[in-house]
Amino acid sequence: MAFERHRWLRTGGILSTGILLLIAGYPMMGMSGRPLKDKLSFTEDGGDIAVRLEKHVRVLGGEIGERNLWRPGSLEAAASYVEREFHDLGFPVEAQEYVVEGETVRNLEVEIEGVAEPGEIILVGAHYDSAPASPGANDNASGVAALIEIARLLAKKPLDRTVRFVAFVNEEPPLFMTDRMGSLQYARRARQRGDNIVGMLSLETIGYYRREKGTQSYPTLLLRPFYPSRGNFIAFVGNVSSRSLLRRCLASFRRCSDFPSEGLSAPAWVTGVDWSDHWSFWQEGYPAIMVTDTAVFRYPWYHSSEDTPEKVNYPAMARVTAGLAGMVADMARRFNAG
């Protein structure tokens, strides 16, 4: 998750952002509530999912560690690991290569082709690079681990719509929001091909959860009365144009899981709303949202050398991952057209 671009908003700009939202009458949308009664679930033991998630995070955020353009060997090691995991699941892997500062980097894509509406694509993505000087266990080995495990859970399921899984390179600063960003390269090529991406989900920093009061903060003081003070939930975040997708995803997640969840649809200039690969898809007119534990607003070791695998809550992350897998399967059904 990229952050440096918005440091100024963490001081005096925080309160003014919220006030401007109210004055302008923007449709900021908060969504919370209990899971729906018609809950769907996977029968696989959540403990097994947790074990596999921990394995992925310990390889990416421990054995490999810092992985970015300035550590090209480690970046390639991370890409090779993700590629092997997808291959082991039986997926042919498509690599989208491009050159940045003399280094060849790549996005990695696999898909489950839809049986009824194959031209309608739901894309689930996560970036596998880490911030400079950080091993990136939560940011974003956690998102990549969930990406692999959701692909595993859905690999043998017939789905009406096509579901595409993409591991992106070069999300972190100073590459964020530049032409060198992997997801922007991908989104542009998707638009050029005419891909009908009906929804993009960016898995971003999803492994840290706390039950104590005061463990959750927010980018604007005006959100505090409406959202929990405990950092025990998974958040669905999008811009105003993606609010319909956000509503459908949140409702679907609650059909599939009883894990606490919250939603926010707000203008993209609100701090944190555009802090991941979903931003790239907005640039090409695709609906896209971020799924996150809120990163810097909860996680004390964000973008630091202390973002290490033992900080991740694997049992909680397993519940989130299983719920997201059910949500993606639900979203890929013909009846869930939104």
Side-chain angles (χ1 to χ4, degrees):
M1 176 181 278
F3 169 60
E4 278 74 0
R5 173 178 176 269
H6 300 276
R7 285 190 187 277
W8 68 274
L9 282 169
R10 298 190 67 208
T11 55
I14 292 177
L15 183 58
S16 62
T17 296
I19 293 172
L20 284 171
L21 282 170
L22 294 181
I23 293 174
Y26 276 104
M28 179 184 286
M29 179 181 65
M31 292 165 286
S32 60
R34 297 179 179 177
L36 302 181
K37 292 182 179 180
D38 55 333
K39 186 173 71 173
L40 310 172
S41 65
F42 284 93
T43 57
E44 184 170 0
D45 182 7
D48 292 339
I49 299 174
V51 168
R52 290 198 297 269
L53 290 169
E54 183 169 3
K55 173 207 165 194
H56 301 318
V57 172
R58 289 196 176 277
V59 171
L60 293 168
E63 294 176 21
I64 297 174
E66 181 184 347
R67 52 201 181 276
N68 49 52
L69 197 62
W70 300 272
R71 299 253 183 160
S74 296
L75 189 64
E76 174 54 29
S80 296
Y81 178 81
V82 174
E83 188 173 40
R84 286 195 303 272
E85 290 296 316
F86 280 148
H87 272 307
D88 289 348
L89 294 177
F91 289 109
V93 182
E94 181 77 21
Q96 181 193 67
E97 295 184 346
Y98 64 105
V99 177
V100 179
E101 298 184 10
E103 298 289 343
T104 298
V105 296
R106 53 193 172 132
N107 298 318
L108 300 167
E109 170 193 302
V110 301
E111 73 173 27
I112 303 169
E113 186 174 4
V115 297
E117 302 289 347
E120 296 186 2
I121 301 164
I122 296 170
L123 192 150
V124 187
H127 71 89
Y128 63 87
D129 61 313
S130 74
S134 175
N138 195 29
D139 185 12
N140 189 35
S142 66
V144 176
L147 181 76
I148 294 168
E149 290 308 308
I150 294 169
R152 181 191 302 275
L153 289 167
L154 299 185
K156 306 300 181 183
K157 292 186 177 292
L159 303 172
D160 293 328
R161 295 185 174 91
T162 293
V163 176
R164 193 174 287 174
F165 303 93
V166 187
F168 296 116
V169 70
N170 290 357
E171 187 268 357
E172 294 289 3
L175 307 174
F176 186 60
M177 292 186 178
T178 73
D179 289 342
R180 299 172 292 175
M181 190 177 178
S183 56
L184 185 57
Q185 290 274 334
Y186 186 96
R188 285 175 174 172
R189 295 188 193 185
R191 180 57 75 191
Q192 290 168 2
R193 291 192 302 262
D195 290 357
N196 182 20
I197 299 173
V198 297
M200 185 274 176
L201 316 174
S202 177
L203 309 182
E204 177 62 72
T205 314
I206 64 169
Y208 189 70
Y209 303 92
R210 297 292 297 270
R211 294 180 179 179
E212 300 89 348
K213 286 185 178 181
T215 53
Q216 183 65 52
S217 63
Y218 296 96
T220 166
L221 299 176
L222 294 179
L223 290 178
R224 291 183 183 178
F226 305 101
Y227 288 92
S229 67
R230 305 173 193 267
N232 66 340
F233 60 88
I234 188 71
F236 293 74
V237 180
N239 64 358
V240 175
S241 297
S242 299
R243 63 186 178 276
S244 178
L245 172 66
L246 194 152
R247 282 196 181 100
R248 296 200 310 275
C249 286
L250 191 57
S252 181
F253 182 82
R254 289 172 178 166
R255 284 195 291 270
C256 302
S257 176
D258 59 3
F259 195 87
S261 56
E262 302 289 340
L264 174 69
S265 176
W269 48 265
V270 174
T271 307
V273 169
D274 61 359
W275 283 359
S276 191
D277 292 301
H278 57 305
W279 171 87
S280 298
F281 289 81
W282 293 348
Q283 308 316 299
E284 296 299 324
Y286 290 119
I289 65 171
M290 172 174 56
V291 182
T292 181
D293 64 12
T294 75
V296 70
F297 301 111
R298 178 188 307 177
Y299 189 55
W301 305 282
Y302 176 77
H303 276 197
S304 80
S305 61
E306 299 302 311
D307 182 8
T308 49
E310 72 276 7
K311 309 293 196 321
V312 174
N313 184 332
Y314 297 102
M317 188 175 153
R319 292 174 61 195
V320 170
T321 299
L324 290 173
M327 180 195 80
V328 172
D330 189 29
M331 298 294 291
R333 294 173 179 168
R334 291 180 70 183
F335 72 83
N336 197 344

